[in-house]
Amino acid sequence: MRKIISTATAPQGHWVGDGFPVRSLFSHMSGGNENTPFLMLDYAGPHEFGPAATPRGVDVHPHKGFETVTIVYEGEVEHGDSTGRGGVIREGDVQWMTAGSGILHKEFHSHDFTKTGGDFEMVQLWVNLPAKDKSADPGYQGITDAQIPSIDLAENAGRLRVIAGEFDGIKGPAQTFTPLDLWDLRLNAGKTLTLTPAEGHTVIVATLSGDVTVNSEARLSGPATARLSRDGGPVEIQAASDAKILILAGEPIDEPVASYGPFVMNTEGEIRKAIEDFNSGRFGQL
């Protein structure tokens, strides 16, 4: 079994814009890079919104040097960016956006969800890019729930969706710059699942809801995370209640990380250049 390196419970939440009540399960902004290639994981909700006349969310803002991955569990998010791409991310859908050399985008509740209101729950994961890819062209992958393989686990243990990477020979639809697995797991109460992430990869068990024990050692009551050693074999998860879990496993990007708000680069000089590019309009228009 892999060694438990650390555990953390989500702190008190804050609002991003007026549409996303967020708790940060981990963040590179604390000054560390121990979760590489993953930078940040924000959990928004669950929260009930009433009907409104104007969509809630975050207006136009920039990103550069990494990717954002948005998974919607309940509600709807509408996205638009400076490449002209966009659309509505509905329940079960995933948006995988490559900021690369620089992008402008905006995220709001969809017009339909704004009119009706309802329960809202989503996560946004930031994935780093290696230095050689930080100038990649901006990109957008709109992945629907129907495109994501869903595997019924043995002995009625639950189900697992393969968003990226591979599980039990089944590949996920997301295209990634570096090797990583992103698995959306529902584990039923009283059941145990053993996973075998690739040796050498960073592994994080993010329990969004429910109570689980990882490797018979770390008890997590969601929202909470456990980070495991890069080597050491399997990961065992035991569910004391029905649990909603994200499994993150990825090849480390062992390069310096310099960040400033929505920019993630390798040096302070590159951060200054990113700010200059943004202020000069080189990220396009939206």
Side-chain angles (χ1 to χ4, degrees):
M1 293 289 181
R2 295 186 185 225
K3 180 181 178 182
I4 305 293
I5 301 298
S6 64
T7 61
T9 300
Q12 187 172 353
H14 61 279
W15 283 86
V16 176
D18 62 356
F20 306 107
V22 163
R23 285 170 284 182
S24 293
L25 289 164
F26 61 81
S27 175
H28 64 291
M29 295 181 187
S30 64
N33 191 32
E34 62 273 5
N35 296 309
T36 177
F38 310 107
L39 294 165
M40 184 172 73
L41 179 63
D42 279 352
Y43 178 43
H47 185 87
E48 184 176 355
F49 286 94
T54 303
R56 304 174 177 98
V58 183
D59 212 340
V60 179
H61 58 283
H63 290 298
K64 179 178 172 65
F66 64 100
E67 301 184 287
T68 67
V69 182
T70 302
I71 306 169
V72 174
Y73 294 106
E74 291 188 282
E76 294 182 348
V77 177
E78 195 160 345
H79 163 89
D81 65 46
S82 52
T83 71
R85 299 180 180 94
V88 177
I89 315 160
R90 297 180 170 86
E91 294 180 14
D93 294 351
V94 175
Q95 172 203 276
W96 200 294
M97 187 187 79
T98 302
S101 60
I103 197 169
L104 303 177
H105 81 143
K106 56 184 178 180
E107 301 160 292
F108 286 94
H109 296 177
S110 74
H111 284 78
D112 287 345
F113 181 77
T114 298
K115 291 178 182 178
T116 62
D119 293 330
F120 186 86
E121 183 182 9
M122 58 163 273
V123 298
Q124 187 170 93
L125 171 70
W126 289 16
V127 180
N128 201 9
L129 290 171
K132 66 182 181 64
D133 295 316
K134 286 188 179 292
S135 294
D137 291 338
Y140 180 87
Q141 300 175 67
I143 304 169
T144 66
D145 182 32
Q147 294 173 309
I148 301 172
S150 182
I151 301 165
D152 291 325
L153 301 173
E155 300 180 4
N156 195 35
R159 67 181 178 88
L160 184 149
R161 297 197 310 154
V162 187
I163 297 171
E166 183 175 334
F167 177 85
D168 202 20
I170 297 175
K171 295 183 178 180
Q175 300 296 310
T176 66
F177 281 80
T178 57
L180 63 87
D181 296 306
L182 180 58
W183 302 330
D184 176 21
L185 171 64
R186 303 294 190 281
L187 195 57
N188 294 331
K191 299 297 183 177
T192 299
L193 178 65
T194 300
L195 304 169
T196 54
E199 292 292 297
H201 281 202
T202 298
V203 178
I204 299 170
V205 176
T207 302
L208 303 180
S209 64
D211 296 287
V212 305
T213 301
V214 181
N215 287 357
S216 302
E217 178 184 349
R219 298 185 63 181
L220 303 179
S221 182
T225 59
R227 180 168 60 91
L228 292 92
S229 61
R230 294 181 181 180
D231 297 292
V235 177
E236 183 185 82
I237 306 173
Q238 299 171 307
S241 65
D242 289 350
K244 181 186 299 178
I245 303 164
L246 274 180
I247 306 296
L248 287 65
E251 182 178 87
I253 301 173
D254 288 325
E255 298 174 349
V257 172
S259 66
Y260 179 80
F263 308 132
V264 181
M265 304 301 292
N266 296 106
T267 68
E268 293 300 322
E270 290 171 340
I271 291 292
R272 289 191 292 272
K273 181 63 164 56
I275 296 170
E276 177 187 336
D277 287 347
F278 167 61
N279 289 334
S280 299
R282 297 191 184 104
F283 288 10
Q285 295 182 340
L286 179 59

